[in-house]
Amino acid sequence: MAEANPPRGKMRFRRNAAIENFALTVKEMAQMLQSFGTELAETELPDDIPSIEEILAIRAERYHLLKNDITAVTKEGKILLTNLEVPDTEGAVSSRLECHQQISGDWQTINKLLTQVHDMETAFDGFWEKHQLKMEQYLQLWKFEQDFQELVTEVEFLLNQQAELADVTGTIAQVKQKIKKLENLDENSQELLAKAQFVILHGHKLAANHHYALDLICQRCNELRYLSDILVNEIKAKRIQLSRTFKIHKLLQQARQCCDEGECLLANQEIDKFQSKEDAQKALQDIENFLEMALPFINYEPETLQYEFDVILSPELKVQMKTIQLKLENIRSIFENQQAGFRNLADKHVRPVQFVVPTSENLIRSRAPFFSSKHGKKTWRQNQSNLKIEVVHDCPEKRSSGPSSSLDNSNSLDVLKNHVLNELIQTERVYVRELFTVLLGYRAEMDNPEMFDLMPPLLRNKKDILFGNMAEIYEFHNDIFLSSLENCAHAPERVGLCFLERKDDFQMYAKYCQNKPRSETIWRKYSECAFFQECQRKLKHRLGLDSYLLKPVQRITKYQLLLKELLKYSKDCEGSAQLKEALDAMLDLLKSVNDSMHQIAINGYIGNLNELGKMIMQGGFSVWIGHKKGATKMKDLARFKPMQRHLFLYEKAIVFCKRRVESGEGSDRYPSYSFKHCWKMDEVGITEFVKGDNRKFEIWYGEKEEVYIVQAPNVDVKMTWLKEIRNILLKQQELSTVKKRKQQDQLAEQDKIQISLQQNDEDPCRRWLSYFDEATMSNGK
């Protein structure tokens, strides 16, 4: 009995050691799981799909290895429970009791450790399930985003291609070629639209599965749908526009053929051929047939064509039309004169007076009216049946002289330039007259006591808000600018100088445009009142006051279009340099007005925005918050949903705002922005290229304490912003260098003055010290 205890003690020792080892294993297992979880949460993720897939595969493999380790630890714990000793029945009661208690304690310890392992495994499985779902969604989002970006690039490429077909000028062959290109583009777009629909359906599927980036996916789907609609509508509109333009060209082609046939007929009607009554009657019938055929072309006006075909005629087409009509009118006039002679010949069979057939050059010099009123006006639809004209065979007599081509091209640029200049002056007169009508028929009537009963009381003191500085604009145009333009009627080279001399006066439009939102608020509130209706009735206006209040905004935009047209036909001419400078000035004015409209819509900025210097640019961007430590982390997956920010670049700062979504009528016309933060440009830095997207760049503040990844709408916008930011930073660097140099110069000058003072004071000081020593010595004596 004495020798039975030592083996039992050894077994107890081994059991305790096994339990301790098992507890240590459980602890190490917990540390491994925690370390793996931390690694998953903090490890930077790559920015390409193959690398992401590789990391997911590696992590899945590690997960399964850890699961095997957990299974092994659980098995080890269960074996320990099985191997616990049962108390010896032959031992003493006290020994059995003691052993039982110890085994029970060991069993509880192991069971507790097994419970911990089970809890860890449950928590680990739950974490892995969530992580796996997140990572799968992360990969899905990358693939969706990649498909989205590829589609956007392709759609923008097609949109740019169709935009190149916007110019509907040129010959009928060129227009026909553009129609063919558009058809090919339409075929390519069908396949692209099918891809877009597939990506949209994919996005809807992700959204239905509760993807964490739900908002971004829905936004991308809406963008794709919007771009697809734009592409379809643009191609459709371009097809209609080109088709209508082609019809007009066909009409002009038929008119030219008619003109050629008339000239051939004139050339072939030689007097010697008509010696019999039958010949004269045939010639007379040919003339009547020609006049019937040519009448619709002679009677056409450009405005009628524009209305009939619903297309804006270019100045070139208008000139071509007028030239052909002029030729046809002269031919018709000659034929009408000949008719009398041929009728006499047919009746009396006498030799008629021989008529001289003028050449095409003589035809164009004739000052017959462009549009005949003798036969009345007919519309295109009424005369369609008369326009089935066959191609006339070349007449040797006509083709040998060949003056018509020189007729069509002679002085064409001067004609076009004068046409645009005339339009500029005529529309200016109309504009001044309309402003006067509004000021007299509406604004002045608000002070008329007889109209007070028709006005709401609160409207009476809103006159200055409703009309802004329209009176100032009217006085400038009526008293100064209109007469200046009229003086250029016979001197197109002075138009550019006319605008440049009044460049500063046009700044009054900025004030008008800035007041426009307030004006429209007043109009929407009181537009139905009897006062406005009565004023409109008296003026016999078809449109309401709001249409006339928009006239200054439309006019300031119209100037740059007319200047572009003038410049187009004035290259290498006198005054073209001033014209180009005037165009740039008006474009700068439009940009300044537009920027100021956005600036006054900023709310929440504490301070004066004008102290930030001149606004250089403004625009909307997608923005992500970046990190100094670089790539995406698990906890930053939400960065896939960008912030939509409107950036304002000033000379001294860059301001970040959020565009507010307003509701109500007119809310989409004028923006509204909530101020977020402002960075001073002397603390700003940029990183021009961000991996993965050539539209992105970084703006960071200080020592990269804050980093924003900014995505522009396209590469051109990005490069323009980078150029302007670089210019500001370079100017700041130059100013800083100059400032430091001045400070150094000032310090050097101060040092010189100090040294000079010290040198000047040295001798007197010594003299006083010497005098003091001498006085001391003499006193001591």
Side-chain angles (χ1 to χ4, degrees):
M1 294 294 293
E3 293 180 356
N5 290 330
R8 192 182 300 119
K10 289 180 181 180
M11 289 178 63
R12 188 164 52 247
F13 175 79
R14 286 197 297 268
R15 187 168 60 246
N16 290 338
I19 292 172
E20 289 177 359
N21 289 335
F22 179 66
L24 183 61
T25 302
V26 171
K27 182 179 179 182
E28 290 174 351
M29 190 74 245
Q31 291 174 344
M32 289 172 61
L33 294 179
Q34 184 178 4
S35 176
F36 182 58
T38 303
E39 181 182 345
L40 294 185
E42 295 295 333
T43 302
E44 298 172 353
L45 296 174
D47 54 2
D48 63 282
I49 292 175
S51 300
I52 296 172
E53 291 176 336
E54 182 181 358
I55 283 185
L56 291 183
I58 292 173
R59 290 182 175 179
E61 183 179 356
R62 291 185 60 188
Y63 165 75
H64 291 300
L65 290 174
L66 285 171
K67 282 287 290 182
N68 292 337
D69 291 342
I70 293 173
T71 302
V73 171
T74 303
K75 184 177 180 181
E76 180 184 348
K78 290 181 178 179
I79 292 173
L80 283 177
L81 284 177
T82 305
N83 292 337
L84 287 178
E85 291 185 358
V86 180
D88 189 3
T89 55
E90 296 180 359
V93 176
S94 60
S95 298
R96 289 201 304 271
L97 181 61
E98 180 183 354
C99 185
H100 178 77
Q101 291 175 346
Q102 190 169 5
I103 290 174
S104 177
D106 292 342
W107 188 90
Q108 291 178 357
T109 300
I110 296 172
N111 193 55
K112 184 178 181 181
L113 290 171
L114 281 173
T115 302
Q116 290 179 2
V117 172
H118 179 267
D119 292 343
M120 282 192 301
E121 183 177 16
T122 302
F124 179 61
D125 286 341
F127 167 78
W128 175 256
E129 183 180 353
K130 292 179 181 178
H131 171 77
Q132 186 74 356
L133 175 62
K134 201 84 166 182
M135 292 304 298
E136 287 175 357
Q137 291 183 345
Y138 178 78
L139 183 60
Q140 290 169 351
L141 185 60
W142 264 101
K143 292 179 179 178
F144 177 79
E145 184 76 9
Q146 180 175 286
D147 293 341
F148 169 79
Q149 295 298 342
E150 290 176 356
L151 275 173
V152 167
T153 302
E154 293 181 34
V155 171
E156 289 177 347
F157 176 73
L158 288 186
L159 284 172
N160 290 334
Q161 281 190 320
Q162 69 84 25
E164 292 174 0
L165 303 175
D167 186 9
V168 293
T169 58
T171 63
I172 188 171
Q174 291 171 332
V175 175
K176 193 172 182 180
Q177 183 65 24
K178 288 179 180 178
I179 292 176
K180 185 176 180 180
K181 288 182 179 179
L182 186 66
E183 293 302 325
N184 294 334
L185 191 147
D186 190 20
E187 291 180 7
N188 296 334
S189 71
Q190 296 304 317
E191 182 179 354
L192 189 59
L193 292 171
K195 288 182 181 178
Q197 188 62 31
F198 178 78
V199 173
I200 290 172
L201 291 174
H202 181 209
H204 288 169
K205 184 178 179 181
L206 294 178
N209 291 332
H210 307 290
H211 197 286
Y212 69 85
L214 175 64
D215 291 341
L216 175 64
I217 292 171
C218 292
Q219 176 188 337
R220 292 296 194 230
C221 290
N222 290 335
E223 288 179 23
L224 270 184
R225 194 177 292 106
Y226 175 71
L227 281 174
S228 300
D229 291 343
I230 287 180
L231 181 61
V232 170
N233 293 334
E234 288 292 331
I235 292 176
K236 182 179 178 181
K238 199 71 64 188
R239 182 186 294 110
I240 294 173
Q241 184 183 24
L242 287 172
S243 175
R244 289 169 176 169
T245 306
F246 182 74
K247 288 181 181 179
I248 290 181
H249 276 285
K250 287 287 288 183
L251 177 65
L252 286 175
Q253 186 183 56
Q254 292 171 349
R256 290 190 192 96
Q257 292 170 358
C258 180
C259 190
D260 292 344
E261 185 171 322
E263 290 180 355
C264 282
L265 194 59
L266 282 173
N268 289 329
Q269 286 183 338
E270 297 177 0
I271 196 65
D272 294 336
K273 295 181 180 179
F274 306 117
Q275 300 300 325
S276 66
K277 181 178 180 180
E278 290 74 13
D279 291 337
Q281 287 177 340
K282 184 177 184 306
L284 187 61
Q285 184 63 41
D286 289 341
I287 291 175
E288 290 175 352
N289 291 340
F290 172 79
L291 291 177
E292 183 180 358
M293 178 178 62
L295 183 62
F297 302 114
I298 296 172
N299 288 340
Y300 253 121
E301 294 182 356
E303 291 76 12
T304 306
L305 279 180
Q306 290 183 175
Y307 176 77
E308 293 287 337
F309 289 93
D310 191 23
V311 67
I312 302 299
L313 295 179
S314 65
E316 291 91 342
L317 283 175
K318 289 182 180 180
V319 170
Q320 289 180 38
M321 186 182 304
K322 290 182 179 180
T323 302
I324 293 172
Q325 286 175 316
L326 180 59
K327 291 171 68 176
L328 287 173
E329 174 64 24
N330 279 276
I331 292 172
R332 183 197 63 78
S333 179
I334 294 170
F335 275 140
E336 286 181 348
N337 291 332
Q338 283 186 337
Q339 275 180 321
F342 285 130
R343 286 194 180 98
N344 291 332
L345 182 62
D347 295 339
K348 301 178 181 179
H349 190 46
V350 297
R351 191 181 183 88
V353 178
Q354 184 172 358
F355 292 100
V356 178
V357 180
T359 64
S360 299
E361 185 178 358
N362 292 330
L363 289 177
I364 195 65
R365 288 176 181 171
S366 173
R367 290 303 176 187
F370 286 156
F371 309 110
S372 173
S373 58
K374 297 180 180 179
H375 306 285
K377 307 283 184 179
K378 294 185 179 181
T379 64
W380 165 246
R381 293 186 177 87
Q382 291 170 333
N383 288 293
Q384 274 183 322
S385 58
N386 296 329
L387 294 182
K388 296 178 181 178
I389 304 171
E390 301 296 331
V391 177
V392 181
H393 295 290
D394 291 347
C395 298
E397 297 84 356
K398 183 175 78 71
R399 298 303 176 192
S400 60
S401 60
S404 60
S405 60
S406 61
L407 173 88
D408 291 339
N409 297 326
S410 62
N411 300 323
S412 59
L413 285 179
D414 288 338
V415 172
L416 293 170
K417 181 165 58 178
N418 289 329
H419 173 80
V420 177
L421 179 57
N422 182 62
E423 182 179 356
L424 173 62
I425 296 173
Q426 293 298 331
T427 54
E428 184 72 13
R429 290 170 180 159
V430 173
Y431 175 56
V432 170
R433 191 161 57 246
E434 286 175 338
L435 292 184
F436 177 75
T437 302
V438 171
L439 292 171
L440 186 66
Y442 283 99
R443 193 176 188 275
E445 287 296 292
M446 293 184 74
D447 296 325
N448 183 359
E450 296 180 2
M451 300 287 283
F452 283 175
D453 292 341
L454 302 178
M455 269 190 293
L458 294 177
L459 176 62
R460 294 178 187 174
N461 61 348
K462 296 292 192 300
K463 180 175 62 177
D464 292 335
I465 298 176
L466 182 62
F467 296 93
N469 61 329
M470 181 183 280
E472 180 188 14
I473 293 173
Y474 166 74
E475 290 173 1
F476 163 67
H477 285 271
N478 184 62
D479 300 342
I480 300 173
F481 194 63
L482 176 58
S483 57
S484 298
L485 281 180
E486 289 174 337
N487 292 335
C488 301
H490 301 291
E493 67 277 1
R494 294 197 68 256
V495 173
L497 192 60
C498 177
F499 276 88
L500 290 174
E501 289 175 346
R502 309 298 176 190
K503 181 173 66 173
D504 294 338
D505 293 321
F506 280 102
Q507 292 298 325
M508 66 180 67
Y509 278 90
K511 181 179 178 181
Y512 186 85
C513 292
Q514 289 171 5
N515 178 69
K516 197 70 178 65
R518 301 173 63 205
S519 173
E520 290 198 358
T521 301
I522 298 297
W523 169 253
R524 287 195 299 270
K525 187 173 182 180
Y526 297 105
S527 59
E528 300 298 327
C529 77
F531 170 78
F532 291 124
Q533 294 177 6
E534 178 63 16
C535 291
Q536 183 176 347
R537 187 191 64 79
K538 287 181 178 180
L539 293 171
K540 298 181 180 179
H541 282 175
R542 291 194 306 165
L543 302 175
L545 173 61
D546 56 328
S547 299
Y548 291 91
L549 292 176
L550 196 60
K551 294 290 183 182
V553 181
Q554 294 171 334
R555 189 60 183 168
I556 199 66
T557 306
K558 179 74 172 177
Y559 284 132
Q560 56 94 12
L561 297 174
L562 293 169
L563 288 173
K564 281 180 183 176
E565 285 292 311
L566 271 178
L567 188 61
K568 179 180 177 182
Y569 307 126
S570 305
K571 291 182 179 178
D572 301 325
C573 296
E574 183 184 355
S576 61
Q578 290 88 349
L579 203 58
K580 175 66 169 62
E581 191 177 349
L583 173 60
D584 292 339
M586 296 310 293
L587 289 174
D588 288 342
L589 173 65
L590 286 176
K591 180 183 179 301
S592 174
V593 169
N594 184 52
D595 289 344
S596 66
M597 291 289 289
H598 286 273
Q599 177 173 306
I600 62 173
I602 297 177
N603 299 298
Y605 179 80
I606 301 175
N608 186 356
L609 287 168
N610 293 325
E611 295 177 356
L612 303 181
K614 179 184 176 183
M615 185 194 295
I616 308 298
M617 301 184 75
Q618 52 82 25
F621 296 87
S622 295
V623 178
W624 291 261
I625 298 177
H627 300 276
K628 285 197 300 181
K629 295 183 179 180
T632 311
K633 298 180 180 179
M634 189 68 188
K635 61 185 179 181
D636 297 322
L637 286 176
R639 273 205 305 135
F640 263 105
K641 181 182 178 182
M643 301 178 291
Q644 299 304 314
R645 291 291 181 262
H646 203 90
L647 273 57
F648 295 83
L649 179 63
Y650 293 88
E651 291 176 315
K652 299 179 182 179
I654 183 167
V655 176
F656 291 76
C657 295
K658 179 179 180 181
R659 182 163 183 156
R660 291 212 306 261
V661 179
E662 304 286 352
S663 59
E665 184 182 355
S667 59
D668 56 340
R669 187 178 301 173
Y670 302 108
S672 179
Y673 303 104
S674 295
F675 170 77
K676 291 300 179 182
H677 54 272
C678 175
W679 287 354
K680 293 182 179 179
M681 291 304 295
D682 54 9
E683 295 289 334
V684 165
I686 55 173
T687 304
E688 298 192 6
F689 298 100
V690 175
K691 185 178 179 182
D693 192 338
N694 59 359
R695 295 176 297 170
K696 290 181 180 178
F697 61 98
E698 283 185 350
I699 302 177
W700 41 270
Y701 194 65
E703 298 296 328
K704 288 200 173 182
E705 299 165 2
E706 295 182 75
V707 180
Y708 279 177
I709 301 171
V710 179
Q711 183 188 62
N714 54 61
V715 177
D716 292 337
V717 172
K718 168 190 168 179
M719 300 311 296
T720 304
W721 272 73
L722 288 177
K723 178 184 176 183
E724 295 297 340
I725 293 175
R726 279 197 301 267
N727 290 339
I728 294 175
L729 297 181
L730 286 173
K731 287 180 182 178
Q732 286 186 340
Q733 189 175 3
E734 292 172 0
L735 291 173
S736 178
T737 303
V738 172
K739 186 177 180 181
K740 287 180 180 178
R741 188 180 295 117
K742 286 183 178 180
Q743 290 175 349
Q744 291 173 355
D745 293 343
Q746 290 176 356
L747 290 174
E749 187 67 27
Q750 291 176 0
D751 290 342
K752 288 180 182 179
I753 294 172
Q754 190 69 25
I755 292 171
S756 176
L757 289 173
Q758 289 176 358
Q759 289 176 349
N760 292 335
D761 291 344
E762 186 176 357
D763 292 337
C765 223
R766 286 180 178 175
R767 286 197 298 272
W768 278 106
L769 287 171
S770 176
Y771 173 79
F772 179 75
D773 290 339
E774 291 176 359
T776 304
M777 290 176 64
S778 44
N779 288 337
K781 292 178 182 178

